Amino acid sequence: MPKLSVITIVYNNVRDIERTINSVINQTFKDIEYLVIDGASNDGTLEVVQKYKNQISKIVSEPDKGIYDAMNKGLALAKGDYILFMNSGDEIYDEHTVEEIFDSSPGADIYYGETEMYNDKWESLGRRRHEAPESFDWKSFRYGMNVSHQAIYIKRSIIVPYDIKYKYSSDIDWIIKAAKKSSNIVNVHRYVAKYLVGGMSKKKHHESLKERFQIFTKYYGLVPNILNHIVIAGNLAFYFLRNRRTND
């Protein structure tokens, strides 16, 4: 069985960090290297993390230049065969998730699954609006990011550092780059992550959307990207009219 490196990025999130940690350390799959990268929190977060220091492989607490700089620190330390980012506030879906993912098909370049959304009160909002596609490749994001960052396990040998010129959407660029190198991508056909809405990409929504448009244009071309965004806007409007929320 492969070794998995799980990386948690956190800064001043004392309320949610313990949930995330417990979702990792309670996995039935035991060959997990767990790295916590803290941005020099001062609200008690680090004290919570230190409670679990015997179950965490490496704890780093120091200032960083933003979320993707912190993620790159985690990548530089990771030694596992696969990488999963499970940032503070999010959770691995249940205690059997990692074991069942690796049991689903041996040796994939990428494993991915479905994500369940949760609000600030940790109440389920159901599945993401961008449902995980039956098959996934580097072109699959052309109508939106339909596999969330928390729901994708990528072989470390095919990844590169995050491009920190993107402050809010570099995860999209990172996943597309990995997918372009992949020859074996497996849909595990299960929920694999719980996602807390309201992260940095939502707080800086306009800036995030501009970056996403730039990234999609880089990979798919300007004119196709414009046409694709007409479809994206239509799908969003239809979903909102039916559900009165966007579930991004």
Side-chain angles (χ1 to χ4, degrees):
M1 295 296 286
K3 184 182 187 70
L4 173 67
S5 292
V6 180
I7 304 169
T8 292
I9 305 303
V10 60
Y11 176 67
N12 282 351
N13 192 13
V14 67
R15 186 193 70 171
D16 298 313
I17 184 61
E18 195 161 26
R19 282 193 299 98
T20 302
I21 291 172
N22 280 316
S23 81
V24 177
I25 65 177
N26 291 328
Q27 289 296 304
T28 56
F29 185 87
K30 295 305 180 185
D31 201 0
I32 293 177
E33 173 192 50
Y34 190 24
L35 309 171
V36 177
I37 312 298
D38 172 65
S41 294
N42 56 21
D43 69 338
T45 294
L46 189 57
E47 286 77 5
V48 174
V49 173
Q50 291 290 352
K51 284 170 49 180
Y52 298 93
K53 63 182 181 181
N54 292 333
Q55 294 157 287
I56 297 173
S57 307
K58 181 76 173 178
I59 300 170
V60 175
S61 183
E62 62 187 21
D64 54 58
K65 299 175 183 176
I67 186 170
Y68 297 115
D69 179 49
M71 288 181 171
N72 280 340
K73 291 180 182 181
L75 287 178
L77 293 169
K79 300 295 189 294
D81 301 296
Y82 291 85
I83 300 292
L84 170 68
F85 279 95
M86 190 56 57
N87 293 339
S88 183
D90 305 328
E91 296 183 14
I92 298 177
Y93 193 76
D94 59 44
E95 63 184 4
H96 302 290
T97 298
V98 177
E99 183 177 12
E100 292 183 7
I101 284 172
F102 288 129
D103 281 344
S104 65
S105 179
D109 292 327
I110 293 176
Y111 298 92
Y112 72 97
E114 197 57 81
T115 304
E116 187 173 0
M117 310 288 282
Y118 282 76
N119 66 16
D120 201 51
K121 298 178 181 178
W122 204 244
E123 299 167 331
S124 176
L125 300 173
R127 187 174 60 194
R128 291 182 75 230
R129 174 171 62 88
H130 292 294
E131 182 180 348
E134 179 62 29
S135 297
F136 178 78
D137 63 21
W138 69 274
K139 298 179 181 178
S140 296
F141 280 179
R142 63 190 182 276
Y143 297 123
M145 189 177 180
N146 49 21
V147 177
S148 71
H149 203 187
Q150 302 80 6
I152 190 163
Y153 294 54
I154 303 178
K155 189 175 284 186
R156 186 166 61 92
S157 61
I158 65 170
I159 63 173
V160 295
Y162 289 88
D163 188 340
I164 60 174
K165 76 179 180 184
Y166 302 118
K167 294 183 178 180
Y168 312 110
S169 298
S170 192
D171 50 339
I172 295 174
D173 179 69
W174 185 75
I175 292 172
I176 291 174
K177 285 176 179 174
K180 290 190 77 171
K181 296 180 180 179
S182 302
S183 58
N184 183 9
I185 301 178
V186 172
N187 184 347
V188 299
H189 295 104
R190 81 183 308 276
Y191 280 94
V192 299
K194 297 177 180 179
Y195 173 67
L196 177 64
V197 300
M200 185 59 69
S201 63
K202 294 296 288 184
K203 293 174 183 175
K204 298 287 187 178
H205 192 55
H206 181 69
E207 294 90 339
S208 175
L209 290 177
K210 286 174 62 177
E211 284 191 357
R212 289 182 183 210
F213 190 87
Q214 292 170 5
I215 292 167
F216 290 153
T217 296
K218 178 173 70 171
Y219 289 105
Y220 307 135
L222 177 59
V223 173
N225 192 28
I226 292 171
L227 297 175
N228 292 343
H229 270 74
I230 294 172
V231 176
I232 292 171
N235 290 340
L236 173 60
F238 180 75
Y239 187 96
F240 182 80
L241 288 173
R242 189 175 60 183
N243 299 280
R244 295 298 168 180
R245 61 173 184 255
T246 61
N247 258 29
D248 289 330

